[in-house]
């Protein structure tokens, strides 16, 4: 059974809960690192928790949520080895896997998406990395960690 790690701040408690249930319904073992209350936490701390857990291994991907998805995705992308997408819709979510092969996908709990975030998450899950020229570009992304 595939594992997913998920973390959120207080701006996305409800959407995170919906995702946890949906991922479990799809057969994933979900490690939800919180939070489950509206008490304020700092999204960089939640990004760090989830990314450190992901890097232990055995996770297919991770999901991060904050009010907009912006702060938590920026935070995740500062962590070595992490590529976190913040998709606008299902097409972007699909491409995040097909072309960018991201290991994290982020959402905003306070965002009014043009389509269901669950549908967007499914578009990501149901896609496969296409490799080839996209791997070359990903290698260049990752090289930016040490060459800039
Ligand atoms: C928290 O109030 C909010 O700033 C956070 O959830 C997120 O939207 C930041 O990018």
């Amino acid at each position: 059974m595939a594992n997913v790690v998920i973390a959120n701040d207080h701006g996305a408690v409800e959407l995170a809960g919906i995702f946890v249930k949906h991922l479990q319904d799809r057969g994933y073992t979900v490690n939800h690192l919180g939070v489950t209350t509206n008490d304020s936490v700092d999204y960089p701390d939640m990004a760090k928790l989830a990314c450190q857990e992901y890097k232990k291994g055995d996770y297919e991907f991770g999901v991060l949520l904050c009010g907009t998805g912006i702060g938590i995705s920026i935070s995740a992308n500062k962590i070595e080895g992490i590529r976190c997408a913040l998709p606008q819709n299902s097409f972007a979510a699909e491409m995040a896997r097909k072309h960018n092969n991201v290991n994290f996908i982020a959402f905003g709990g306070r965002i009014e998406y043009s389509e269901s975030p669950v549908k967007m998450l499914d578009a990501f899950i149901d896609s496969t990395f296409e490799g080839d020229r996209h791997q070359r570009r990903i290698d260049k992304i990752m090289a930016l960690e040490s060459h800039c």
Side-chain angles (χ1 to χ4, degrees):
M1 191 175 291
N3 300 312
V4 174
V5 61
I6 178 167
N8 56 281
D9 78 358
H10 54 283
V13 171
E14 187 183 346
L15 184 56
I18 291 168
F19 278 176
V20 168
K21 181 171 184 321
H22 183 68
L23 287 162
Q24 288 169 339
D25 288 348
R26 285 199 56 149
Y28 284 100
T29 298
V30 181
N31 185 2
H32 185 200
L33 301 176
V35 295
T36 55
T37 75
N38 293 328
D39 296 341
S40 183
V41 294
D42 294 337
Y43 53 79
D45 297 333
M46 302 313 296
K48 185 178 172 185
L49 260 184
C51 292
Q52 285 181 334
E53 178 62 27
Y54 174 85
K55 287 169 71 168
K56 289 179 185 170
D58 287 336
Y59 287 97
E60 183 180 314
F61 63 92
V63 183
L64 293 170
L65 307 96
C66 65
T68 58
I70 296 171
I72 205 157
S73 59
I74 291 172
S75 304
N77 281 312
K78 295 284 182 189
I79 297 172
E80 193 174 5
I82 302 300
R83 288 185 305 284
C84 181
L86 178 58
Q88 305 93 327
N89 51 33
S90 290
F91 173 73
E94 185 183 327
M95 288 301 140
R97 181 94 99 169
K98 284 186 171 176
H99 287 190
N100 311 111
N101 200 22
V102 298
N103 40 26
F104 271 83
I105 186 164
F107 291 86
R110 296 172 180 157
I111 297 294
E112 280 189 38
Y113 288 102
S114 58
E115 56 193 312
S116 151
V118 169
K119 188 176 164 215
M120 292 166 61
L121 181 61
D122 281 341
F124 173 74
I125 291 171
D126 294 332
S127 301
T128 307
F129 179 50
E130 291 177 352
D132 194 34
R133 68 188 184 281
H134 304 296
Q135 185 58 56
R136 181 181 71 242
R137 292 162 185 163
I138 289 168
D139 290 344
K140 289 187 178 184
I141 292 174
M142 301 323 282
L144 295 173
E145 285 181 344
S146 48
H147 297 156
C148 284

